[in-house]
Amino acid sequence: MTLYSLFGNPVSHSLSPRMHNLAFARLGIDGAYIRTPLEDGSKLKEVFFLQALDGGNVTVPHKQDAFLACDEVRGLALTIGAVNTLVREEGKLIGYNTDAHGFLRAIGSFGELQSALILGAGGTARAIAHALRASGVRVTLLNRSEGNLLPFIEEGFSCFTHATFHPTPYDLIVNTTSAGLKEELLPAPSSLLEPLLKTASYAFDVIYNAQTPFLTLARACGLTCKDGKEMLLWQGVLAFNLFHHNTLNETVIALAMEEALKLSS
Ligand SMILES: NC(=O)c1ccc[n+]([C@@H]2O[C@H](COP(=O)([O-])OP(=O)(O)OC[C@H]3O[C@@H](n4cnc5c(N)ncnc54)[C@H](OP(=O)(O)O)[C@@H]3O)[C@@H](O)[C@H]2O)c1
């Protein structure tokens, strides 16, 4: 039997174990996926090998620690500086970022994009900004405060705070803040958001299982909208396939994981 785990703090709310375990069952693979709550991210590699894991996923707040822990980091994770998927390969820890590719899969049904505005400047914004830039999309970030924007400025992204921003048209607006997750909050003042949404074509909110005020406003402005469920689905599908050295059929994994997500909603 192969064994995988989610690392993070907290991990109890995560849907990943259900998604991966149902995929093992539906694909007839002898594997199991557990949760490992971890307070100290610097212990990640030690705990991974102590548990004799074959692979795993990493969630908040340890994605940067996971990047540092890996013997080798591959793909977009290198530019993002954060790892959410771990694979053991010949005794070494290999790191990937499937949040970024999961986001690109989720917006695959949107039309061609020239420009995107990302609301927020945290870890998820990093994955999405680099994923979009790697796809040739012009990316701008808008955050309520300056501090988290500094690394993006160094990387040459166009960045604004709410105070310095003057709205111009963007094809896609993405909410990566947690505004709207628990309270009825918009990620930016409506005086900023409304003109943006009136000229955009697509809106995406990384939050899932909730109708956020951001998506409600975007729908009212006539945009094609998506919440974060497909991103969650595809980061899981891509991670599961990496665990199996990309030898499996993605559609079959996606069907099993979709079934798991339906059980949870
Ligand atoms: N769908 C998926 O697969 C998926 C994957 C990963 C994460 N997520 C979701 O993504 C969200 C963000 O996660 P993260 O790890 O990127 O968080 P994070 O690193 O803590 O960053 C949060 C960002 O949101 C901003 N922010 C927070 N509350 C705000 C508010 N009330 N108004 C305006 N801005 C606010 C922060 O601004 P400051 O810089 O000013 O503090 C910061 O830029 C979470 O809801 C998480 O569940 C979804």
Side-chain angles (χ1 to χ4, degrees), residues 60 121-124 143-145 148 176-177 179 185 187 206 208 228 231-232:
V60 176
T124 310
N143 197 39
R144 63 180 174 185
S145 62
N148 274 328
T176 71
T177 79
L185 275 179
V206 297
Y208 50 86
M231 178 177 170
L232 175 73

Side-chain angles (χ1 to χ4, degrees), residues 89-133:
E89 226 178 79
E90 291 166 1
K92 287 190 173 153
L93 198 56
I94 313 295
Y96 300 87
N97 191 308
T98 66
D99 287 331
H101 295 284
F103 171 77
L104 291 179
R105 290 299 182 95
I107 62 159
S109 59
F110 290 174
E112 200 187 313
L113 302 170
Q114 304 288 333
S115 59
L117 180 72
I118 298 177
L119 308 171
T124 310
R126 274 199 78 69
I128 290 178
H130 282 284
L132 285 169
R133 180 188 258 182

Side-chain angles (χ1 to χ4, degrees), residues 39-95:
E39 214 155 279
D40 181 354
S42 69
K43 298 268 192 297
L44 193 143
K45 190 173 187 177
E46 186 186 328
V47 176
F48 181 97
F49 284 111
L50 264 176
Q51 288 180 309
L53 298 175
D54 295 284
N57 290 114
V58 185
T59 187
V60 176
H62 299 319
K63 292 183 191 181
Q64 275 159 325
D65 281 320
F67 175 85
L68 296 173
C70 285
D71 296 300
E72 188 185 331
V73 175
R74 293 182 187 158
L76 269 176
L78 280 169
T79 34
I80 296 166
V83 156
N84 82 318
T85 299
L86 301 166
V87 181
R88 181 163 57 85
E89 226 178 79
E90 291 166 1
K92 287 190 173 153
L93 198 56
I94 313 295

